[in-house]
Amino acid sequence: MTNHSETTGPSENGDIPGPRQSNGKALVPSVPGADEHQVTLRTPAELADALPYLLGYRPEDSIVLAALRDREGRGRFGGRARLGIPANTDDWSCAARQLVQGLVTGSERRGVRPEQMVAYLCQEPAPGETGREVMERLRPLAQRLRVECGALDVPVVEALCISAGRFWSYCCDDQACCPAEGLPMGLPGTSVLAAAATYAGIQVRGSLSDLRARLLPGESASAADQTAALDAAATSLVARILDTEGRSEVARETLESAERIMHRLAGAPPVSGVPAEDLRDDHLLGDDEAAALILGLQDRTTRDRAAGWMEGDEAAPALRLWRALARRCVGPYGEHAAAPLTLAGWVAWSTGDELEAREALAMALGADPDYLFARLLHQACNEGLDPESIRRCLRAEREDRAAGGVGQTGPDGSARPDGGAIPDGGPSPDGGTRPDGDPRPDGGPVSHGGDRVGATGLRKPCAPRELAPTPQQPSARRHRTRGPNPADGTRRRARTSSREPRAGRARGRSGSQAEDAGARGHRTRGDGQ
């Protein structure tokens, strides 16, 4: 379960007849780019069938809200938001409040306040449980959603539970249309809305589990070989990355290797089906190549330069490469996936695939909650901001490098075409908070990821698991480079094996070019933090 909120789809993509019409539940979603194609949905069954087309995927274990607003006497779909259903019922009230307030305030920022809501609860039965039992178990959550919406003067006109291939209405007591045993969902692709969506070229991409499977390491015998390759790469590369001269050489090798593999992927023959595509890409990427790239991308300047492959003919092979690298972050190297996952999310967002972008960025934050670039991109993507401001910055940086490094540079050596940086250790122009939204009332210095650093530059322990390595298990066996060298602003972070206690982290104050661009682009819309 991904228990994070998100806003999905455009803010306007459908109509629903207003209260004065007799078919009060009728829904008329418009087809993007072809407003003349409209489908009227008049029953709870049609509303239930519409959900995958509203989101672009089939939600699992999710609370989904769809906002409605009035337009010429007809309701029109506004924003949609999803949140994973908390396993602990004590969290339901907080989750409902978070989702409702987030969708309403987000819609208000776009200038369209919701006037009504449609709520969905989607969860499959546990072993031995029936769909009706799921519906009854989730009834208090549906009630909390209705109460929270009512508190903001946004009534819920329909609340549906979808489970085990059937649906139930929490708002309709008419046994004729909404019997206690529920009603079966229609076969996928057979409804009028499915036909209209197919005609318009709209596709439902399966479930979020299918999407995440493309970014998660698989359980296979090859995982041991990849772990061994990562161990070997860490032994040979970490010391070089922590050295000023060696770091530049490793960055060059990493980017050249990535370009070479991207050309290899682009030239591979096509295959049919997503699993076959991912398997083909995995076979085209050697264990040693993957390990060197994963370790090399832990340097954030190198990562920022790799983020420049975000559009045109470079975007598709780059996205395939970042997915493949995320799948190679096996075993104790799971935290290293933050870099390739963030790059995958960025390229997906840059090319218009907000669904994959949100999931990849959420997974990056799951791998490393302090990864600032992922945090900024995730929030900006969820709030519907335009990625062009970041693209402009990365293009300018690339042009500066091609011109021989003309222009100002930041503390980490990356170009600053805007003439300056917004350092994480100082206040932001928008009112004193840093790009990660942390005002740091204690006044302590802050690294790029939000960690406090002491006089020695080491992170202060913040949890019992942050312990120094034991003498019997020295930390030299496996390292991770992710923090800065205080002398040159580069990122340096030493990491021991997961079988050893976690060592302290070394990070510096300066943000990277892409992170600064993300922070600036986030503030330009006035609704960033």
Side-chain angles (χ1 to χ4, degrees):
M1 180 183 72
T2 302
N3 199 15
H4 66 277
S5 62
E6 59 190 35
T7 302
T8 60
S11 60
E12 297 182 3
N13 72 337
D15 294 324
I16 186 168
R20 58 178 176 269
Q21 300 192 22
S22 58
N23 54 351
K25 296 178 182 177
L27 180 62
V28 189
S30 64
V31 177
D35 291 338
E36 67 275 10
H37 301 291
Q38 295 184 342
V39 179
T40 301
L41 310 178
R42 294 185 172 88
T43 66
E46 292 169 336
L47 279 175
D49 181 76
L51 180 59
Y53 301 96
L54 296 178
L55 299 179
Y57 62 92
R58 302 185 185 279
E60 301 172 314
D61 199 20
S62 299
I63 312 167
V64 179
L65 288 179
L68 306 171
R69 68 181 183 89
D70 182 73
R71 182 174 178 180
E72 298 177 353
R74 300 171 68 84
R76 187 173 182 83
F77 268 131
R80 280 85 70 197
R82 188 197 70 87
L83 187 70
I85 298 177
N88 190 338
T89 57
D90 293 338
D91 298 329
W92 285 1
S93 180
C94 180
R97 185 178 307 111
Q98 173 189 348
L99 191 61
V100 172
Q101 292 181 352
L103 180 55
V104 172
T105 56
S107 298
E108 289 175 337
R109 279 199 299 266
R110 298 182 182 96
V112 184
R113 176 176 170 80
E115 298 179 2
Q116 295 174 327
M117 289 282 189
V118 176
Y120 299 86
L121 298 179
C122 308
Q123 192 173 73
E124 290 304 301
E129 191 178 28
T130 66
R132 182 174 180 179
E133 290 171 339
V134 172
M135 182 271 294
E136 293 294 347
R137 177 168 52 81
L138 296 179
R139 187 182 291 276
L141 177 55
Q143 182 61 25
R144 288 308 312 169
L145 289 169
R146 297 175 72 178
V147 169
E148 294 296 339
C149 287
L152 297 178
D153 295 325
V154 184
V156 175
V157 295
E158 184 59 275
L160 299 174
C161 176
I162 300 175
S163 181
R166 304 180 77 84
F167 72 90
W168 291 260
S169 172
Y170 290 113
C171 297
C172 180
D173 297 327
D174 187 351
Q175 291 294 314
C177 68
C178 299
E181 65 273 15
L183 290 171
M185 298 284 294
L187 293 176
T190 60
S191 67
V192 176
L193 179 59
T198 301
Y199 181 80
I202 300 173
Q203 296 181 348
V204 175
R205 300 176 55 183
S207 67
L208 290 182
S209 297
D210 298 331
L211 185 60
R212 295 186 191 114
R214 307 194 70 181
L215 303 168
L216 288 172
E219 297 293 335
S220 64
S222 62
D225 295 335
Q226 185 62 68
T227 302
L230 285 163
D231 286 340
T235 301
S236 63
L237 291 180
V238 168
R240 295 175 60 198
I241 295 175
L242 295 181
D243 177 73
T244 302
E245 296 181 0
R247 171 178 170 270
S248 299
E249 185 69 14
V250 171
R252 181 186 61 79
E253 294 171 359
T254 300
L255 295 172
E256 289 179 353
S257 177
E259 284 191 285
R260 183 170 61 252
I261 296 170
M262 284 167 54
H263 286 301
R264 187 188 308 164
L265 295 175
V271 295
S272 177
V274 169
E277 290 176 355
D278 291 342
L279 184 62
R280 172 203 58 197
D281 293 346
D282 289 339
H283 287 162
L284 292 172
L285 180 63
D287 290 341
D288 292 339
E289 290 177 318
L293 286 175
I294 290 169
L295 269 295
L297 289 173
Q298 302 311 307
D299 175 71
R300 55 198 169 104
T301 302
T302 306
R303 177 211 65 195
D304 287 356
R305 293 181 179 180
W309 299 317
M310 61 194 169
E311 55 191 346
D313 294 337
E314 296 173 330
L319 181 56
R320 289 166 57 186
L321 175 58
W322 308 143
R323 288 186 191 131
L325 291 180
R327 295 193 294 267
R328 297 298 185 94
C329 294
V330 296
Y333 291 91
E335 195 180 50
H336 288 62
L341 285 171
T342 301
L343 289 170
W346 160 237
V347 176
W349 185 32
S350 178
T351 54
D353 189 347
E354 294 185 5
L355 174 59
E356 181 169 0
R358 279 189 296 270
E359 288 308 308
L361 294 169
M363 292 171 66
L365 291 173
D368 185 354
D370 293 332
Y371 210 69
L372 180 59
F373 192 29
R375 192 189 313 171
L376 290 169
L377 291 176
H378 185 245
Q379 187 173 355
C381 182
N382 278 343
E383 294 185 353
L385 304 186
D386 188 350
E388 179 58 24
S389 60
I390 304 176
R391 284 196 294 259
R392 281 197 301 265
C393 186
L394 292 174
R395 290 189 202 107
E397 182 187 9
R398 192 171 182 175
E399 291 170 0
D400 281 351
R401 288 198 307 271
V406 177
Q408 292 180 311
T409 60
D412 60 359
S414 60
R416 303 290 184 190
D418 63 337
I422 304 173
D424 288 291
S428 301
D430 59 353
T433 58
R434 293 169 176 80
D436 61 356
D438 185 357
R440 297 298 180 200
D442 59 279
V446 183
S447 76
H448 102 282
D451 293 334
R452 293 190 181 91
V453 291
T456 62
L458 296 179
R459 181 180 180 179
K460 297 179 181 179
C462 60
R465 65 187 180 92
E466 301 248 351
L467 304 174
T470 61
Q472 294 80 8
Q473 296 174 314
S475 60
R477 181 175 179 184
R478 181 175 301 133
H479 298 282
R480 179 185 180 188
T481 61
R482 293 217 16 215
N485 185 332
D488 62 3
T490 62
R491 300 184 64 195
R492 172 181 297 177
R493 184 172 182 179
R495 174 71 197 275
T496 64
S497 166
S498 66
R499 295 182 291 271
E500 302 169 359
R502 194 172 180 179
R505 301 173 179 177
R507 294 187 176 181
R509 303 182 184 181
S510 61
S512 70
Q513 170 75 6
E515 287 160 1
D516 289 336
R520 288 194 300 274
H522 203 46
R523 286 192 293 271
T524 57
R525 292 284 298 271
D527 56 356
Q529 299 296 337

